[in-house]
Amino acid sequence: MAKDLVEFRNLETHFKTTAGTVKAVDSVSFTIREGETLCVVGESGCGKSVTAMSLMQLIETPPGQIVGGEIFFEGKDLLKLSKREMSRIRGNQISMIFQEPMSSLNPVLSIGEQITEPLILHMLLDRKAAKKRAIELINLVGIPRAEKIFDSYPHELSGGMRQRIMIAIALSCDPKLLIADEPTTALDVTIQAQILDLMRDIKQKLNTSIMLITHDLGVVAEMADYVVVMYAGKVIEEAPVLELFQDPQHPYTKGLLKAKPVINQKQERLYSIPGQVPNPIDLGNNCHFHERCEFCMDICKEKQPPFRSHGKYTHKSACWLYEKEGEVL
Ligand SMILES: Nc1ncnc2c1ncn2[C@@H]1O[C@H](COP(=O)(O)OP(=O)(O)OP(=O)(O)O)[C@@H](O)[C@H]1O
Ligand SMILES: [Mg+2]
């Protein structure tokens, strides 16, 4: 089995607001292994981006703060590093791409300047070597006529090309981990498929681990080795991708899968999970999904279910349906 690259252990990230403390990430634990694509799924507001931003240590403080837990990267707890050490890791070993490539690129700098900057700053290349590497990277992300693109400006490129450039910049320092937060949501479907192909290609060529955040289960099916399902700041299920699709355990995961359109299947109306994600302020010490769950029992309203394996050790979930009655926990 591949080595662990990142391990979140009981991570807690809170935001102080006038309405109270938002427990955006509430005791989250999971592991990303070397060369693996791990997908984080869940509805809007479940804590996916805050988990990724906590790993990058880009949580704005205040109002946000990591108040507990550990994030190990190659065995080192990132939360114990100095700002300087962390910024070195962020530049070299962990990169992130975002949903909206236009707002992440600087409109007044050429593509070449933007790709060479991290190469000069972090990889300590001189200008000539940086240009050579930048052109290699533009080719790597599948853009033809790389020399011409090097001198172009962001507004001259299409959305798909800009996202490819963002990936080129993210890969410029040979990161061990690439975090992609909804990288294709703003793109149309064919371009989306091309960008996903590119990411899969890169993973194979460079053995980069990928943490891919998405609400699209079609993307998960295509990309993931392993899946983590988040709900109201907590991980409620995790499993290898096939296992999750074939044998989902948590009623929330089942609901997400049911809400996915299936081609060639007659569907009267697309299913959607009733209700909404609860506001993560003052949530009780119970199952946070209980109000939306068709299988809700008394215990679900009173006690938080433990997160553990109920069969295969790689498949874990937090649901009272799988706990034996009367068992002492
Ligand atoms: N700066 C902030 N101040 C207050 N609350 C915040 C802040 N940033 C995030 N939150 C809250 O933290 C929770 C988790 O947010 P997060 O952005 O991680 O959700 P998400 O799963 O990425 O959703 P989406 O799919 O919409 O991107 C939400 O309830 C959000 O309102
Ligand atoms: Mg998000």
Side-chain angles (χ1 to χ4, degrees), residues 141-179:
V141 295
I143 304 182
R145 294 177 293 125
E147 274 90 356
K148 184 160 180 286
I149 296 295
F150 186 90
D151 293 319
S152 311
Y153 286 82
H155 71 270
E156 298 175 81
L157 309 185
S158 67
M161 291 234 270
R162 287 199 288 262
Q163 194 58 303
R164 285 174 193 266
I165 295 295
M166 285 312 299
I167 295 175
I169 294 173
L171 291 176
S172 61
C173 303
D174 295 328
K176 293 189 174 136
L177 176 70
L178 180 66
I179 304 174

Side-chain angles (χ1 to χ4, degrees), residues 15 17 22 24 42-51 60 63 181-182 213 215 279-280:
F15 292 90
T17 69
V22 177
E43 287 165 295
S44 189
C46 283
K48 307 181 297 294
S49 296
V50 174
T51 303
E60 206 187 330
D181 192 349
E182 303 275 7
I213 297 174
H215 60 263
N279 189 342

Side-chain angles (χ1 to χ4, degrees), residues 81-265:
L81 299 184
S82 67
K83 279 210 166 94
R84 220 171 127 207
E85 286 170 315
M86 188 58 215
S87 99
R88 208 173 302 138
I89 287 199
R90 219 169 18 233
N92 286 318
Q93 312 209 32
I94 308 177
S95 302
M96 185 157 179
I97 49 174
F98 299 91
Q99 180 173 341
E100 201 5 276
M102 194 58 199
S103 55
S104 317
L105 286 170
N106 187 335
V108 298
L109 294 180
S110 72
I111 298 296
E113 283 169 296
Q114 300 191 56
I115 306 184
T116 48
E117 189 200 272
L119 293 169
I120 294 167
L121 209 69
H122 292 290
M123 305 294 271
L124 310 175
L125 298 187
D126 62 34
R127 226 154 253 294
K128 202 170 149 214
K131 178 167 182 181
K132 187 165 169 268
R133 178 76 183 128
I135 288 182
E136 276 170 17
L137 284 162
I138 299 173
N139 277 319
L140 177 75
V141 295
I143 304 182
R145 294 177 293 125
E147 274 90 356
K148 184 160 180 286
I149 296 295
F150 186 90
D151 293 319
S152 311
Y153 286 82
H155 71 270
E156 298 175 81
L157 309 185
S158 67
M161 291 234 270
R162 287 199 288 262
Q163 194 58 303
R164 285 174 193 266
I165 295 295
M166 285 312 299
I167 295 175
I169 294 173
L171 291 176
S172 61
C173 303
D174 295 328
K176 293 189 174 136
L177 176 70
L178 180 66
I179 304 174
D181 192 349
E182 303 275 7
T184 58
T185 320
L187 304 172
D188 68 48
V189 188
T190 34
I191 308 293
Q192 202 175 77
Q194 291 170 10
I195 296 288
L196 294 177
D197 275 349
L198 169 65
M199 285 177 54
R200 244 195 327 251
D201 213 42
I202 282 165
K203 186 185 107 172
Q204 250 169 19
K205 267 192 207 145
L206 310 177
N207 201 35
T208 316
S209 302
I210 300 177
M211 175 177 173
L212 177 59
I213 297 174
T214 178
H215 60 263
D216 184 339
L217 282 162
V219 171
V220 175
E222 230 176 284
M223 300 291 290
D225 297 307
Y226 210 81
V227 188
V228 164
V229 185
M230 285 190 76
Y231 187 75
K234 287 192 169 294
V235 175
I236 53 98
E237 184 156 4
E238 64 167 59
V241 65
L242 265 182
E243 173 87 19
L244 190 96
F245 275 78
Q246 284 170 357
D247 183 25
Q249 292 179 349
H250 200 289
Y252 178 61
T253 313
K254 288 182 182 170
L256 286 180
L257 287 168
K258 226 164 111 185
K260 182 174 161 294
V262 182
I263 295 170
N264 293 337
Q265 201 170 306

